[in-house]
Amino acid sequence: MDEPVGGLEQILRVRREKRDKLAEQGWRPYPNGLEVTHRSSEVRAGGEAPGEVPEGAVRFRLGGRLLSIRGMGKAVFADLWDRDGKIQIQVRKDLVGEEVFARSKLLDIGDLVVVEGPRFTTRRGELTIQVEKIELATKSMHPLPDKHAGLQDVEQRYRQRYVDLIVNRDVRTAFERRIAMIKGIRDFLDQRRFLEVETPILHELLTGAAARPFKTHHNALDMALFCRIAPELHLKRLIVGGLERVYEIGRSFRNEGLSTRHNPEFTMLEFYMAFATYEDLMWLTEEMLSEVSERVTGSTQLPFGGWNEGETPITLDLAGPYPRIPVLDGILDKRPGLDIADPEAVGSELKQLHVEAPEGTPLGKLQMELFEALWEAELVQPTFVVDFPTAVSPLARKKDSNPELTDRFELYVGGRELANGFSELNDPEDQRARFDDQLEAKRRGDEDAMDADEDYCHALEIGMPPTAGEGIGIDRLAMILTNAPSIRDVILFPLLRKLT
């Protein structure tokens, strides 16, 4: 059962020979209709196992992949892994017969099998299935990485996620945690009478966020379309229609760079709540993150960092309440005496921080660039940044106390933006004026500026109740709950550069 000494071609040749030999002896390499009735977790949950198999013991039938095989004369031990984990199996010649035992000796690490038999505990104290029947489910024709080294090459792990999931069990645990997180979010919102909806992914206009799109073309309609950068305006149309509380968990697409925090195809949660303000959503967000973290990890205290040798992770506290920092107050806290109403003064400060801003950049955008340069890296513990300039918030409601600012927040965790929310602009005339500003920015060369959506303005004329809405990056939240250093660690199939 050991791999032959030699190169890959030699290993592949020997595996083909074993496959053909097993087929000749009656074990088809790719059979169908093999029933599995148990999981390894059910074997482990059956109470204390006997040292020897008693007469009439319960028989278990389970399937999985062989990831370790150890021959011991007239018996073979192997580790069988299924979705729930590992169980040891023992194949004895006197129980399965000489013919079947000879076939089992032709099995390789990576092969999928179905076994049937009772359980017992070995003298070394390991729970084991005593195999009375074994069947080949699938012959693995390519060797797995060395069991001790695992799959270490990060690029290969992302490209061959199917191998990564087999040999790196912590990877499977991370994705199981992501799945539990999404279910927890759904349950949280469903319990509060939000309705889960689906909105279009192909959009005729660029709306809902400031970002560059992926463009495609519909042949039958001869129409240019964009993969959505956000579902926002469709969801708010549903608020106009009277659904009052809606959410969507789905894909969005932005034609931008790759990094440890960015993937062009990503998952977003967006939810909207009529008769609520951005203040209400901040409290709701604290409650949601705290509850989901507790449900998924068992705690609101999470390790963060420590990814490099010698580094010690810190502890993030998701319990709440989270501190709140107004954008302009935050700038003055770092730069006392700065005239934040003077574009030249703000622009000069940005230059000293080596941040370039194009000629004619609005004051509000300069202020936001300066805040991020001064604060972003420090916002490690959950923190709400609030009261954004109107110039960078084309869909948010202006503050009653200062129309240069909006009722908007962003939540930062681990030095990265996690969520964005605001009290929605529901004045159709104000919205049209904001869209005009976006079109002017587009004419000046701002590739991230939005299109004007006249139908959405018409919806606002029908009347949207006072509403607050929010978007949360599902991938980034999964990074936090799994302490992952890269967004690629929480996306099963991230986009990668072509191999040359």
Side-chain angles (χ1 to χ4, degrees):
M1 295 188 186
D2 296 328
E3 297 289 4
V5 177
L8 178 59
E9 284 303 318
Q10 168 74 358
I11 293 172
L12 297 178
R13 182 185 63 79
V14 171
R15 287 209 171 196
R16 287 193 295 269
E17 291 173 354
K18 289 181 177 181
R19 175 199 61 193
D20 296 342
K21 191 170 183 179
L22 284 169
E24 290 172 4
Q25 296 178 2
W27 271 6
R28 290 183 297 157
Y30 310 107
N32 191 26
L34 298 180
E35 184 183 16
V36 171
T37 57
H38 298 89
R39 289 282 182 184
S40 60
S41 58
E42 295 175 283
V43 180
R44 291 190 293 271
E48 186 175 349
E52 294 183 4
V53 177
E55 189 175 343
V58 175
R59 266 59 179 169
F60 297 89
R61 184 174 172 85
L62 60 162
R65 191 182 297 273
L66 301 177
L67 292 187
S68 176
I69 303 174
R70 304 169 295 282
M72 297 178 64
K74 296 182 180 181
V76 171
F77 286 87
D79 291 339
L80 184 147
W81 287 81
D82 65 7
R83 186 179 67 187
D84 294 350
K86 182 191 82 169
I87 195 75
Q88 180 171 268
I89 65 171
Q90 180 198 57
V91 184
R92 281 172 41 184
K93 186 175 181 179
D94 62 326
L95 288 177
V96 300
E98 186 170 340
E99 183 180 341
V100 172
F101 188 73
R103 292 179 196 173
S104 68
K105 299 281 281 187
L106 294 173
L107 294 173
D108 291 302
I109 291 173
D111 288 351
L112 290 153
V113 299
V114 174
V115 299
E116 185 176 328
R119 66 194 186 108
F120 73 103
T121 301
T122 66
R123 283 177 293 187
R124 294 185 177 182
E126 183 158 3
L127 185 64
T128 304
I129 292 289
Q130 186 177 86
V131 175
E132 296 175 343
K133 185 176 182 181
I134 180 168
E135 299 169 89
L136 178 63
T138 300
K139 187 77 180 85
S140 175
M141 297 307 298
H142 200 288
L144 294 171
D146 179 83
K147 65 180 180 180
H148 299 296
L151 186 60
Q152 299 297 325
D153 184 277
V154 174
E155 185 83 1
Q156 187 183 1
R157 286 180 51 219
Y158 299 148
R159 292 188 186 279
Q160 297 181 3
R161 183 68 83 186
Y162 44 93
V163 178
D164 190 27
L165 289 166
I166 292 170
V167 301
N168 293 322
R169 304 302 294 190
D170 57 331
V171 172
R172 180 177 297 199
T173 300
F175 283 105
E176 288 172 345
R177 184 170 285 191
R178 175 191 169 113
I179 292 164
M181 174 194 79
I182 294 173
K183 187 176 188 305
I185 290 170
R186 280 196 167 99
D187 290 347
F188 179 91
L189 292 172
D190 291 347
Q191 289 165 8
R192 287 155 182 80
R193 300 186 66 189
F194 283 80
L195 301 175
E196 184 173 12
V197 298
E198 294 177 310
T199 62
I201 286 179
L202 293 177
H203 287 189
E204 201 175 342
L205 298 171
L206 291 177
T207 56
R212 300 177 191 178
F214 287 96
K215 188 175 181 179
T216 187
H217 187 270
H218 190 284
N219 293 332
L221 296 177
D222 191 22
M223 178 188 296
L225 295 169
F226 304 97
C227 294
R228 72 178 177 199
I229 53 179
E232 180 168 342
L233 299 194
H234 285 90
L235 290 170
K236 287 192 283 192
R237 284 173 167 91
L238 299 179
I239 297 294
V240 172
L243 296 190
E244 292 194 352
R245 295 187 179 193
V246 295
Y247 75 95
E248 182 171 10
I249 300 175
R251 296 289 201 187
S252 291
F253 307 83
R254 299 184 184 179
N255 196 355
E256 297 169 348
L258 296 169
S259 76
T260 58
R261 301 183 185 183
H262 299 90
N263 193 68
E265 177 184 3
F266 59 98
T267 304
M268 284 283 291
L269 160 69
E270 288 209 12
F271 59 99
Y272 292 83
M273 184 176 180
F275 304 103
T277 69
Y278 80 128
E279 293 276 355
D280 296 320
L281 289 198
M282 282 191 277
W283 294 117
L284 187 70
T285 302
E286 289 174 346
E287 187 180 1
M288 179 193 299
L289 295 189
S290 175
E291 184 174 307
V292 170
S293 176
E294 185 76 43
R295 172 171 170 168
V296 172
T297 73
S299 175
T300 57
Q301 309 291 309
L302 303 178
F304 178 78
W307 305 308
N308 300 316
E309 189 175 350
E311 290 182 352
T312 301
I314 64 170
T315 299
L316 296 178
D317 184 1
L318 296 188
Y322 309 153
R324 304 179 183 189
I325 302 175
V327 169
L328 300 186
D329 290 354
I331 294 173
L332 292 175
D333 183 73
K334 295 288 188 181
R335 295 293 186 269
L338 176 68
D339 185 356
I340 54 176
D342 181 359
E344 289 190 11
V346 177
S348 176
E349 197 65 41
L350 281 170
K351 287 181 181 178
Q352 292 183 41
L353 296 170
H354 308 290
V355 177
E356 294 296 326
E359 189 77 22
T361 300
L363 173 61
K365 195 164 186 179
L366 293 173
Q367 292 168 336
M368 202 63 233
E369 294 266 10
L370 182 55
F371 178 90
E372 289 175 353
L374 294 172
W375 274 98
E376 189 172 64
E378 295 187 20
L379 301 177
V380 177
Q381 293 296 336
T383 304
F384 287 116
V385 178
V386 300
D387 301 346
F388 280 57
T390 302
V392 295
S393 309
L395 300 170
R397 186 181 188 278
K398 293 177 181 177
K399 294 189 75 64
D400 291 335
S401 59
N402 183 354
E404 297 300 314
L405 302 176
T406 58
D407 289 340
R408 177 184 172 189
F409 68 84
E410 285 185 354
L411 174 62
Y412 279 78
V413 183
R416 63 191 70 149
E417 178 199 342
L418 178 63
N420 178 31
F422 40 83
S423 297
E424 302 294 339
L425 173 59
N426 62 348
D427 179 339
E429 293 184 6
D430 191 354
Q431 183 62 80
R432 281 196 178 92
R434 306 271 196 102
F435 279 149
D436 287 343
D437 291 342
Q438 288 290 297
L439 292 176
E440 179 58 33
K442 191 183 287 283
R443 282 191 286 269
R444 292 198 309 268
D446 186 349
E447 296 181 358
D448 293 346
M450 296 184 202
D451 290 331
D453 189 336
E454 178 55 35
D455 180 74
Y456 176 67
C457 292
H458 179 64
L460 294 185
E461 289 176 334
I462 298 298
M464 183 171 77
T467 298
E470 181 176 348
I472 296 178
I474 290 293
D475 307 308
R476 290 188 178 181
L477 181 56
M479 290 174 68
I480 291 166
L481 294 184
T482 61
N483 193 25
S486 171
I487 196 170
R488 297 182 184 93
D489 293 323
V490 296
I491 296 176
L492 281 167
F493 299 103
L495 184 65
L496 300 168
R497 289 178 176 84
K498 282 185 177 181
L499 290 173
T500 55

